[in-house]
Amino acid sequence: MSHSYDVLIVGAGHGGAQAAIALRQRGFTGSIAMVGEEPEIPYERPPLSKDYLAGEKEFERILIRPASFWAEREVDILTGRRVVTVDAAAHRVVTEDGDSIGYGSLIWAAGGHARRLSCHGHDFAGVHWVRSRADVETMMGELATTTRVAVIGGGYIGLEAAAVLSKLGKQVTVLEALDRVLARVAGEALSRFYEDEHRAHGVDVRLGTMVESIEGADGRASGVRLADGEVVPCEMVIVGIGIVPAVEPLLAAGAEGGNGVAVDALCRTNLPDVFAIGDCAFHANDFADGASIRLESVQNANDMATTVARVLTGEEIPYHAVPWFWSNQYDLKLQTVGLSTGFDRAIVRGDMSARSFSVVYLRDGAVIALDCVNAVKDYVQGKALVVNATRADPALLADAGTPLKSLLEAA
Ligand code: FAD
């Protein structure tokens, strides 16, 4: 079969869905299709390690839009189809099942795949990762026979899963290779706070711990062997060690990249009429001091999608969106604004023991990010400090009685 669309979106996740939504909102009348390798129409990924894993939400409630929405807006969704080849000169992609689909413009929104372990036992039954609905449902199906869970990786997804599973009564061990959790994304104060919280909930948090292999019998995991020889016994292993950007077909077609696909401020790759957005887009970010990075967040996927929809409807506005992120663990709602990478000073605002506080990150005296724990007001007001790279008196930043918005006015 050979067919063609004015806009073809590869990846039916957050970025892909938002690209189609924004195109129609902006009056784009051409044909649009989304090709996604998963069997579902676009759904939200954040609940997979939060309330969906906890069994507190039906799948229909995490759909980004109901099926009728896409039909009404004439957005074709080709589910269960994996794109394996891009022919940039011919403006065509080919799916694993041999279908060739032409495009006017291609939006690559394929996100990433969960990074797997490579050690002995990595493919045993009982070893899981949390990227898709299917991953989580397989895990949930094994919970009834699981007492002990080892989570490899103390990043957000691993910690969120640890929180849910310990609340479900499982005995959870978190194995982190570095000397603190969340080391890639937060300062030490926040890491220590979350380590303490997890320990207070009975989670065994092990730092500086290298995994050697997965132990098992008859192809099923029974424990995690550490570098020092100790075996942490468990029935379930959750691997939360990041993602590998899903960009092979684009790179093979000649796109520049390596850690994802390189894009400019309008999310254009170096291939003609090919854009890349979301987790897989390697871009110079204004809020990272211009450094090129990939951002793994719903905000980034949505805002990049809007950037491309604008370009395709005749409005070229460079991507310049303040990064924000959230994480729910136990009754703690963390909201992050800005990027703390490269900070030279961290100021704690409020009382950590009261479990409502913020960490304000500064670089060269300017506010670059805030981590707000059960502190919505700081998050809302702090955003403007990040956007304006406000220089504020550290003593006032540390004083929870001084509203952050007053510091903006004073600056
Ligand atoms: P995705 O939403 O991952 O969509 C990409 C889609 O493309 C996938 O369906 C994939 O299967 C498909 N695909 C890949 N390759 C191909 C191919 N060759 N052909 C066809 N289809 C393909 N972000 C937050 O901001 N806050 C949170 O609290 C948060 N929690 C998270 C919790 C979990 C468990 C996970 C996994 C992610 C979380 N994130 C969170 C990150 C957020 O979900 C991602 O940043 C976001 O989904 C990125 O959107 P995307 O469109 O780039 O990729």
Side-chain angles (χ1 to χ4, degrees):
M1 192 171 46
S2 176
H3 43 149
S4 192
Y5 292 88
D6 294 315
V7 174
L8 183 67
I9 302 167
V10 177
H14 278 275
Q18 180 56 29
I21 293 169
L23 278 167
R24 289 294 186 235
Q25 272 173 349
R26 298 182 57 79
F28 182 80
T29 53
S31 55
I32 305 178
M34 247 185 275
V35 197
E37 66 184 348
E38 293 186 67
E40 297 87 4
I41 61 171
Y43 60 89
E44 294 169 31
R45 242 164 260 287
L48 295 180
S49 51
K50 306 179 181 75
D51 32 9
Y52 191 69
L53 175 60
E56 292 165 1
K57 252 187 187 168
E58 297 290 309
F59 181 68
E60 278 59 39
R61 287 188 52 207
I62 68 168
L63 286 176
I64 290 178
R65 293 289 189 279
S68 56
F69 175 93
W70 305 111
E72 282 159 15
R73 282 156 188 80
E74 297 184 39
V75 174
D76 285 357
I77 308 187
L78 315 175
T79 55
R81 312 283 290 282
R82 182 174 165 73
V83 170
V84 289
T85 312
V86 176
D87 183 338
H91 280 53
R92 302 201 75 80
V93 305
V94 179
T95 60
E96 206 165 23
D97 53 4
D99 192 8
S100 167
I101 312 173
Y103 62 81
S105 300
L106 180 69
I107 305 177
W108 192 267
H113 295 117
R115 188 181 295 281
R116 313 281 166 89
L117 294 173
S118 54
C119 61
H120 170 79
H122 69 94
D123 52 352
F124 282 171
V127 178
H128 300 270
W129 41 89
V130 193
R131 186 72 196 174
S132 67
R133 176 200 192 187
D135 298 338
V136 173
E137 301 222 324
T138 313
M139 246 169 78
M140 289 166 88
E142 292 179 14
L143 284 179
T145 52
T146 298
T147 313
R148 297 160 301 182
V149 181
V151 176
I152 301 179
Y156 282 124
I157 292 178
L159 292 183
E160 288 179 351
V164 169
L165 295 172
S166 75
K167 261 171 75 182
L168 292 176
K170 310 300 174 196
Q171 224 175 290
V172 182
T173 305
V174 172
L175 304 167
E176 168 55 54
L178 299 178
D179 62 358
R180 59 187 178 93
V181 300
L182 301 175
R184 204 166 59 91
V185 289
E188 182 165 355
L190 200 82
S191 301
R192 299 301 176 218
F193 174 79
Y194 276 98
E195 287 159 12
D196 290 348
E197 280 291 327
H198 280 275
R199 286 180 175 136
H201 283 88
V203 174
D204 182 5
V205 180
R206 312 266 196 105
L207 305 170
T209 305
M210 295 302 291
V211 169
E212 182 76 27
S213 61
I214 308 298
E215 298 286 294
D218 303 326
R220 172 158 283 281
S222 63
V224 178
R225 179 176 292 276
L226 307 178
D228 65 3
E230 182 189 349
V231 174
V232 176
C234 61
E235 294 76 39
M236 179 181 284
V237 179
I238 299 178
V239 182
I241 54 172
I243 64 165
V244 179
V247 293
E248 304 83 354
L250 261 196
L251 296 184
E256 283 168 11
N259 177 16
V261 170
V263 295
D264 67 10
L266 296 175
C267 298
R268 296 179 299 204
T269 69
N270 60 310
L271 300 176
D273 304 310
V274 180
F275 299 81
I277 62 174
D279 283 9
C280 67
F282 186 65
H283 66 284
N285 194 293
D286 296 337
F287 293 89
D289 213 12
S292 286
I293 56 169
R294 285 190 307 100
L295 270 183
E296 296 168 13
S297 71
V298 170
Q299 167 276 317
N300 178 62
N302 285 344
D303 288 334
M304 284 189 159
T306 303
T307 298
V308 174
R310 285 195 185 122
V311 173
L312 293 177
T313 51
E315 204 183 357
E316 300 195 345
I317 304 177
Y319 180 66
H320 175 79
V322 61
W324 56 266
F325 189 84
W326 74 95
S327 175
N328 300 338
Q329 297 169 49
Y330 309 108
D331 58 343
L332 300 169
K333 188 171 174 61
L334 167 72
Q335 292 166 294
T336 295
V337 60
L339 299 172
S340 59
T341 328
F343 74 91
D344 52 31
R345 186 161 182 186
I347 296 171
V348 176
R349 176 182 161 81
D351 183 2
M352 290 182 99
S353 62
R355 306 170 83 248
S356 167
F357 66 95
S358 302
V359 183
V360 186
Y361 298 93
L362 306 176
R363 187 173 53 227
D364 299 330
V367 175
I368 57 166
L370 287 96
D371 281 323
C372 307
V373 176
N374 292 342
V376 184
K377 210 179 256 177
D378 278 0
Y379 170 71
V380 172
Q381 297 186 7
K383 192 170 179 170
L385 300 184
V386 174
V387 171
N388 295 292
T390 304
R391 290 170 184 281
D393 179 349
L396 294 177
L397 283 173
D399 174 21
T402 303
L404 290 177
K405 67 174 180 202
S406 69
L407 301 181
L408 182 71
E409 287 148 11

